[in-house]
Amino acid sequence: MSDFLQMNVAELLPHTGNMIWLDKVLSWDEDSVTAELTVRGDALFGDGNAAPAWAGIEYMAQTIGLYAGIHAKRAGEPIRLGFLLGTRRFESNVPAFRFGSTLSVQAERVMQDESLSVFNCLITGGHVKVSATLNVYQAPLATIKNDDE
C-alpha cells in the first residue's frame, strides 16, 4: 500500500506539466483515495489571488484519476484517460480557494461497472468544505487494445 504513497502523481495520471494539479497521494484502499494539493497560481483558472470553487471539480476528477491509476498499476495495466460525464450535488461553503492553501481531496467509489463509475468526493482544508458526486467514464481496456491494433 505504501508504494503508491511514495509515487509521483505524474506516474498515476494521464496528464503532464501544469495540468497536474495534485501534489501527492495521502491514502488509498479498494474503494477510495485521498490526495493533497496546494492551490497554485499557475493553473488555468483564477483571478490572481484564488481559484474559483468550481475548479474543485477538476481536483475531484484528478483524484478519481489517481484511484484509476493506482488500480491500473496494481493490475499491470497502462494509465488511461478517463472522462467526466457529469457532476451532481455540487456544494461549496467558499466561493474560491486562496492560492497557497493546502487542500485534501477524497474520492470514494459508490458504483462501478466495466466502464462507468460514480464517486462521492469531498474537498477539505482550513474552513473549506466542498462536496459533489461525479460520474465518470473510462473505456474498457479491451476496447483500447482493439483500437490500437
Side-chain angles (χ1 to χ4, degrees), residues 6-149:
Q6 305 304 317
M7 286 185 112
N8 183 323
V9 296
E11 297 176 61
L12 299 168
L13 291 173
H15 301 336
T16 60
N18 288 344
M19 288 308 299
I20 297 175
W21 293 0
L22 304 176
D23 296 328
K24 63 182 174 179
V25 178
L26 294 179
S27 64
W28 68 275
D29 59 34
E30 285 301 313
D31 296 314
S32 66
V33 64
T34 303
E36 183 179 80
L37 68 107
T38 300
V39 181
R40 298 187 310 264
D42 63 351
L44 294 175
F45 308 110
D47 64 4
N49 296 313
W54 52 261
I57 295 170
E58 178 64 17
Y59 300 155
M60 293 173 181
Q62 286 196 20
T63 301
I64 293 168
L66 284 180
Y67 174 89
I70 288 169
H71 288 275
K73 288 274 190 189
R74 289 180 67 212
E77 297 173 355
I79 302 299
R80 301 177 290 174
L81 282 175
F83 300 94
L84 175 63
L85 298 179
T87 303
R88 295 178 288 136
R89 294 189 293 271
F90 179 83
E91 296 180 13
S92 178
N93 70 336
V94 296
F97 308 121
R98 286 219 161 279
F99 292 153
S101 60
T102 300
L103 302 174
S104 176
V105 187
Q106 180 182 22
E108 182 176 12
R109 181 184 63 185
V110 175
M111 188 280 305
Q112 182 174 9
D113 67 15
E114 187 175 317
S115 57
L116 296 172
S117 300
V118 177
F119 286 82
N120 286 332
C121 299
L122 178 65
I123 299 174
T124 56
H127 299 289
V128 171
K129 183 174 182 185
V130 179
S131 61
T133 300
L134 273 60
N135 300 329
V136 296
Y137 171 82
Q138 186 174 52
L141 188 58
T143 303
I144 294 169
K145 285 182 179 177
N146 289 338
D147 289 346
D148 290 343
E149 293 176 353

